[in-house]
Amino acid sequence: MIPLELILPISVTMGLLTSGLIGVWYVWPRVRAMPARDALVALIFPHCFRYLGLSFLIHGVTTAPMDHRFSFPTAYGDLLTAILGLVSIAALRANSRFAIPLVWIFSVVGVVDFLNAFARGLTFAAPGDFGATYYIPMVVVPPLMVGHALILARLRAGPKYGMQA
């Protein structure tokens, strides 16, 4: 039997591996060939659902009230990332000169939020405390992490693939 404390790390690892393969084999070849603006908009849209992290604040959705040292920074970091994602999409669609810097800010904030949430989750949250939110780190986070990697790769591709500086 798999020990309870290993289920989440195994699940996240499997999610990252599967999402990474989908990203490398299917998504990256397409977004690399697309105009930069269209590729970035498509890659950012899934992050706009990161408001789901607010559910860490709702007792009843989680098994017990989660430690605020985990739930507050995670929930509000996700919300901030979702808002930055929407603002980035609007700027990209408007061909704003601020679009690319906004996408960089969005992605750096989003990656730092994930790293912070993982560190705090391992330190301040027991696997049994997540309740119905358990699917978020297992199913939602891995493809979004791969999405950030693809966004950063597309940004780094720069003018070579039609990116405006």
Side-chain angles (χ1 to χ4, degrees):
M1 181 185 299
I2 298 174
L4 178 64
E5 60 274 358
L6 292 181
I7 293 174
L8 184 60
I10 290 169
S11 298
V12 171
T13 302
M14 293 297 295
L16 279 171
L17 177 63
T18 305
S19 298
L21 292 174
I22 292 168
V24 169
W25 291 345
Y26 297 101
V27 178
W28 177 247
R30 285 162 180 77
V31 299
R32 192 174 85 171
M34 294 170 71
R37 182 189 78 145
D38 296 340
L40 290 170
V41 167
L43 290 169
I44 293 169
F45 257 124
H47 293 269
C48 297
F49 292 96
R50 283 178 67 172
Y51 60 82
L52 289 172
L54 290 172
S55 58
F56 291 126
L57 301 174
I58 304 170
H59 176 60
V61 176
T62 60
T63 303
M66 300 207 70
D67 189 314
H68 292 282
R69 294 172 292 181
F70 165 76
S71 63
F72 278 36
T74 301
Y76 292 113
D78 280 347
L79 181 61
L80 174 61
T81 302
I83 291 167
L84 287 170
L86 287 170
V87 171
S88 296
I89 288 169
L92 286 163
R93 300 276 303 159
N95 287 319
S96 168
R97 63 186 174 127
F98 300 108
I100 298 306
L102 280 170
V103 174
W104 275 102
I105 292 167
F106 150 79
S107 207
V108 169
V109 167
V111 168
V112 169
D113 174 56
F114 278 149
L115 295 174
N116 184 46
F118 272 117
R120 288 175 178 274
L122 291 171
T123 306
F124 302 119
D129 292 345
F130 282 88
T133 65
Y134 201 73
Y135 72 93
I136 294 173
M138 284 180 29
V139 177
V140 176
V141 170
L144 292 177
M145 290 176 68
V146 170
H148 274 300
L150 294 173
I151 290 164
L152 293 169
R154 189 60 179 93
L155 285 168
R156 287 187 40 92
K160 178 178 177 185
Y161 296 105
M163 180 75 69
Q164 298 299 316

